[in-house]
Amino acid sequence: MPGRTPGRLHRAVCPGSFDPVTNGHLDIIERSAKLFDEVVVAVGVNKSKNRLFSAEERIEMLAQACAGWDNVRVDGFTGLLTDFCQEHQIDAIVKGLRAVSDFDYELQMAQMNSSLAPVETVFVPTSPEWSFLASSLVKEVATFGGDVTGLVPEFVRELLLKRLAERESQ
């Protein structure tokens, strides 16, 4: 690959909340794993955000979902993503783009991140079959009894339905 430093490991991070992880997320992670020597899937841990799954649960789900890729590992982070990148010698941030509206926001983030640390942002367009998919939509559809089979890994679907049933009974 042009511009690569021989003998240097090239790492990328795929950040997100992953509440829950979807097949769209996994598509971006898999494609990133083909582009970089190592990919760190970084789960944002923000105690003030109300998530369906805890940070530990989301990390565990991702670890299971990513187990088939030898060069992918999962970690959590708090604070600035750029600090995480510097602490882990990460060269690039990979962001999946579903639509032009994603690009507007992500471009601003990329420019901010590059002003904070020597890290590049790589935009990967979402595969067409997942362009509509978002964790929030999966949760909403499942909440109202819709079938999310094929949108998330099967074990995630089962955990999602179990969690929603627990919340319903409270």
Side-chain angles (χ1 to χ4, degrees):
M1 193 175 237
R4 292 184 71 127
T5 306
R8 184 162 179 270
L9 184 65
H10 293 273
R11 281 189 190 99
V13 64
C14 288
S17 59
F18 306 103
D19 188 39
V21 60
T22 69
N23 288 340
H25 292 131
L26 296 175
D27 174 58
I28 296 296
I29 294 165
E30 179 179 29
R31 290 163 60 205
S32 299
K34 293 175 183 175
L35 296 172
F36 293 92
D37 297 323
E38 183 181 1
V39 175
V40 180
V41 180
V43 178
V45 178
N46 185 339
K47 301 286 188 204
S48 67
K49 295 266 184 157
N50 187 18
R51 304 273 185 216
L52 186 59
F53 294 99
S54 71
E56 294 77 19
E57 290 170 322
R58 290 179 282 137
I59 289 169
E60 189 176 304
M61 278 190 275
L62 275 157
Q64 184 175 343
C66 296
W69 300 302
D70 293 338
N71 64 332
V72 175
R73 68 181 176 86
V74 180
D75 202 351
F77 79 98
T78 57
L80 293 174
L81 180 60
T82 52
D83 290 343
F84 180 85
C85 290
Q86 288 184 298
E87 290 164 13
H88 294 87
Q89 294 87 44
I90 291 174
D91 303 300
I93 299 167
V94 177
K95 299 297 292 205
L97 297 177
R98 292 174 295 209
V100 172
S101 56
D102 287 348
F103 179 75
D104 290 338
Y105 173 75
E106 294 297 348
L107 178 62
Q108 285 183 309
M109 287 295 279
Q111 291 169 333
M112 176 59 79
N113 288 337
S114 70
S115 77
L116 296 172
V119 63
E120 294 292 334
T121 298
V122 176
F123 297 119
V124 177
T126 301
S127 295
E129 66 266 31
W130 309 121
S131 63
F132 66 93
L133 194 53
S135 294
S136 57
L137 289 175
V138 168
K139 288 185 288 194
E140 185 174 351
V141 168
T143 296
F144 291 106
D147 186 9
V148 295
T149 301
L151 303 179
V152 296
E154 181 57 25
F155 78 93
V156 171
R157 187 186 72 80
E158 291 169 8
L159 291 168
L160 175 61
L161 295 178
K162 181 180 176 192
R163 178 60 45 87
L164 292 173
E166 289 168 358
R167 287 212 169 165
E168 178 87 12
S169 67
Q170 291 178 353

